[in-house]
Structure formats: structure tokens, C-alpha cells
């Protein structure tokens, strides 16, 4: 199964390695570095890289590559899912998953990895169980461990590991009982020059934060569950009930977890929440060009589009850009030729625009193609697919919990061609 794990930062340095079966030399990562050089962006590095004696499987999160080394063929998604679980566990333990934090808590990191895999096979990957085996670091615990020489390893085996619901520990008690659900949708789209949609799809997740006493049994129903396509559940969800009634029935893990992820790919169901008007032109005989873009909202149900960021990779022949934004700030890097415009919120009464001229290198022919425009944005309290939670009910416990549901739409890879 998994022989070794290497953590590689953005600069290409291996800052942590863990071996389970036999020690695999660091030189195996040279194949990964070659693939990284060939890829234009970090996200474009192939997730599976075959080498003469190994397979390298990797995920890229929080500006860190998590590279697993495999010697025999295994289902690649099995390993990739495990790597994502490692990142989520680090995030749960330390608040954030970054190179600095991992280096600061290197002992706990090694202890957690030792529990997550046994002889290369996944063993304990549930956060609740891991936290009973290896206690999360706190300032007080770190000081005590330094003075007494003790470790973060728990004294007892976790209670939930042998139960029917291994994701939930027994004897959970809270003074405030609350259950919060976040419906987060990410829209990936490519819009052509005329404003027509070439491709559009929505990747959605429902993240939960459940802090309830005892062993509650929850049901969550939707107004329009037929929208959901290609659904992936947390192990706590009873699949038979979902198949027959389209209702989520589950005993929740304690704390934060991802209840389900889904996909909406039907073009007619995907509403595009923003539009871009553009006029980008380069003249044949002149070393000057024109650049104008305006961003506006559409199909947002009256909700505000905020956190808008526009980036565009300009052609190599562009020397400089003299632009004036109606709102926000812009930066053009003459070395990388990257234009960034931080728009902020969009006011529908006064649409933000960026206008000005483009200076080209003298003597060069006009660029073969116009640059593409990439957008980042988010819209609070809106699920762009139209998904709505109908009700949340609790059984098995007498108290009344506090319940809350929040919606958010944000841009994934949102590209406008000019």
C-alpha cells in the first residue's frame, strides 16, 4: 500500500518525510520535480506519476504537495482520498495546515501519521478517534510535556473505535447544543467572447459543525433534492434512506465534518451570477492597444456580489498598461505580464470598470489572441443551484438544539474569453 509520504513546499523543498514499510530514498521525488517543471501551475501537476519502480500520487493543498509513494498498483482514488483526509486532520488539529505549523508540531504530526496508517494501510482516519489517541496540542499541554517529558499519546484506547458508529465518541456533553450547516457551492465556467456559456458546472458541499450531547439522530430534508447529482456522503449517512426518500438520516460525528459533496452539471440548471463586458483590441500598425472591462451582477436574486478579483495574463509583447479603475485597486506586473484588479463589492447602480491603454513592444506584430479574464467572487446567502434545506429534525434526545443554515456561492475556475 502506501510506503512513504513526502511533504514538499512551493519552493520544491522536502520539509517532512514519513516511511511506513521501508525507507524510500528522496531521489524518487526527482520524477515529481520534473513533472512540476513541465506544469504551468501547481494545480496542473498530474496527480499520478508512474516511475520505473514506484507510483507517485499527490494532492496540492495550502501551498503544500502531499506526495505518497506506492510500489504496487492500488486504486488511485483510494490513496488520494487518504491524502485529503491527512490534510483535513492536520487542519482539525492545528487550526491551519501550513509548512510553519507542521514544523512547529512535528512530533504530533508523526504521532498522528503513525496512527492513521498501519503498515501502509489506513487504520484510524476519523478525527474523533484520533483526538482520543493523540491529544491535540495546547500551550499548557506543550509546557507540561516539556517539563515532565511526557507525550500527547492518550492513556486509554478510544471508546468509539469498536462501536457501530466509530465516527462518534461516547459520553459527549455540551451546555449549549447546536448544529450548524454551511451549503457552499463553487461554480466553474467558461464564457465565450459573445457572453454565451461554453461549459458550466457546480461543485457543492455541505459542511457541518455539530455540538450535541449524547447520541442524537438527525434527519435533513431538501426542498428540491432531485437537483443533486453524483453525490458523495460521509460514512454516517444511511444510504438506503437517501435512495428511497431523498432524506439525509445520520448520527453525526462530534465537531466539524463534511456531510456530503455533490455535483450539478446540467447546463440549463447552472445560472451564471456575473457578466463581463470587454473591449480589448490591439492595432496592427501601432504599438498601442485599448483595454476596457466592466463587471456586473446577473441572476443573483438581489444578493450582493463581493470579494471580486479580476486577473488576466497579458501577451508577452505587452510592455506596460496605463489603466484607471472606477473602484478598487489594480496592479500590472511587467515581468510576469499579470494584471490583477481587486474590485471588492459590486454596486448594481454603479458598475465597476477598468479602462485605459496598453503599450506594446515596438516592431512586434500584434498578439495572435486576446487574453482570457479570470474571475474570483463570492455571494453570501445564495446557493446558485437553487438548493434549499427544508427542515432539520432530531430524534433520540429530549433537549431542543439551536439550528442554523448558511449558504454561499463562490467562483472556482471562472474564465471569460475575449
Amino acid at each position: 500500500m502506501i510506503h512513504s509520504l513526502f511533504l514538499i513546499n512551493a519552493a520544491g523543498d522536502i520539509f517532512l518525510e514519513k516511511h511506513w514499510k521501508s525507507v524510500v530514498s528522496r531521489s524518487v521525488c526527482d520524477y515529481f520535480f520534473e513533472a512540476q517543471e513541465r506544469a504551468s501551475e501547481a494545480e496542473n501537476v498530474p496527480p499520478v506519476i508512474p516511475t520505473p519502480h514506484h507510483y507517485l500520487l499527490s494532492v496540492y493543498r495550502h501551498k503544500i504537495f502531499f506526495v505518497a509513494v506506492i510500489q504496487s498498483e492500488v486504486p488511485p482514488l483510494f490513496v488520494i482520498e487518504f491524502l485529503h483526509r491527512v490534510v483535513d486532520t492536520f487542519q482539525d488539529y492545528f487550526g491551519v495546515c501550513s509548512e510553519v505549523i507542521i514544523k512547529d508540531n512535528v512530533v504530533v504530526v508523526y504521532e498522528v501519521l503513525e496512527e492513521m496508517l498501519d503498515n501502509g494501510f489506513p487504520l484510524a482516519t476519523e478525527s474523533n478517534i484520533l483526538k482520543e489517541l493523540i491529544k491535540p496540542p495546547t500551550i499548557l499541554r506543550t509546557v507540561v510535556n516539556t517539563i515532565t517529558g511526557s507525550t500527547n499519546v492518550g492513556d486509554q484506547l478510544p471508546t468509539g473505535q469498536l462501536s457501530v458508529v466509530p465516527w462518534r465518541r461516547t459520553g459527549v456533553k455540551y451546555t449549549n447544543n447546536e448544529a450548524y450547516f454551511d451549503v457552499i457551492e463553487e461554480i466553474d465556467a467558461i464564457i465565450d467572447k459573445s457572453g454565451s456559456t461554453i461549459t458550466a458546472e457546480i461543485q457543492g458541499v455541505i459542511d457541518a459543525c455539530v455540538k450535541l450531547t449524547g447520541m442524537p439522530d438527525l434527519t435533513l430534508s431538501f426542498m428540491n433534492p432531485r437537483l443533486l447529482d453524483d453525490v458523495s456522503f460521509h460514512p454516517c449517512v444511511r444510504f438506503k434512506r437517501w435512495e428511497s426518500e431523498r432524506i439525509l438520516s445520520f448520527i453525526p460525528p462530534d465537531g466539524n465534518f463534511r456531510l456530503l459533496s455533490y455535483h450539478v452539471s446540467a447546463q440549463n440548471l447552472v445560472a451564471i451570477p456575473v457578466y463581463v463586458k470587454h473591449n480589448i483590441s490591439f492595432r496592427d500598425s501601432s504599438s498601442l492597444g485599448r483595454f476596457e472591462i466592466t463587471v456586473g451582477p446577473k441572476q443573483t436574486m438581489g444578493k450582493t456580489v463581493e470579494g471580486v478579483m479580476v486577473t488576466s495574463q497579458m501577451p508577452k509583447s505587452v510592455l506596460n498598461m496605463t489603466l484607471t479603475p472606477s473602484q478598487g485597486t489594480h496592479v500590472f506586473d511587467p515581468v510576469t505580464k499579470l494584471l490583477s484588479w481587486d474590485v471588492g463589492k459590486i454596486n448594481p447602480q454603479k458598475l465597476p470598470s477598468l479602462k485605459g491603454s496598453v503599450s506594446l513592444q515596438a516592431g512586434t506584430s500584434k498578439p495572435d489572441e486576446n487574453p482570457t479574464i479570470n474571475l474570483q467572487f463570492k455571494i453570501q446567502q445564495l446557493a446558485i443551484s437553487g438548493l434549499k434545506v427544508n427542515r432539520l429534525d432530531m430524534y433520540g434526545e429530549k433537549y431542543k438544539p439551536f439550528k442554523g443554515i448558511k449558504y454561499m456561492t463562490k467562483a472556482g475556475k471562472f474564465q471569460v474569453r475575449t
Side-chain angles (χ1 to χ4, degrees), residues 304-344:
T304 308
V305 183
E306 53 190 50
V308 181
M309 183 81 177
V310 179
T311 56
S312 183
Q313 185 67 53
M314 301 306 286
K316 287 189 169 63
S317 55
V318 172
L319 278 179
N320 210 342
M321 301 180 81
T322 311
L323 304 170
T324 309
S326 66
Q327 79 174 61
T329 55
H330 79 285
V331 178
F332 175 69
D333 188 332
V335 179
T336 59
K337 313 293 184 193
L338 185 71
L339 169 69
S340 302
W341 176 29
D342 190 349
V343 182

Side-chain angles (χ1 to χ4, degrees), residues 1-6 17-24 67-69 82-83 86 109-110 112-121:
M1 188 56 193
I2 299 174
H3 275 249
S4 305
L5 174 69
F6 294 97
E17 59 185 278
K18 172 84 177 101
H19 307 281
W20 283 275
K21 289 190 171 184
S22 53
V23 176
V24 177
V67 183
V69 181
F82 173 76
L83 292 175
V86 169
V109 166
Y110 275 112
V112 167
L113 289 174
E114 195 61 55
E115 293 297 340
M116 289 186 83
L117 278 191
D118 181 37
N119 196 33
F121 288 87

Side-chain angles (χ1 to χ4, degrees), residues 387-414:
L387 183 72
K388 273 202 168 61
V389 172
N390 182 23
R391 58 183 294 157
L392 174 69
D393 296 307
M394 186 183 79
Y395 305 96
E397 296 290 339
K398 297 268 186 346
Y399 57 83
K400 273 196 168 181
F402 183 80
K403 300 175 278 194
I405 295 185
K406 198 168 75 178
Y407 299 90
M408 188 170 85
T409 297
K410 57 183 181 177
K413 289 191 173 176
F414 196 97

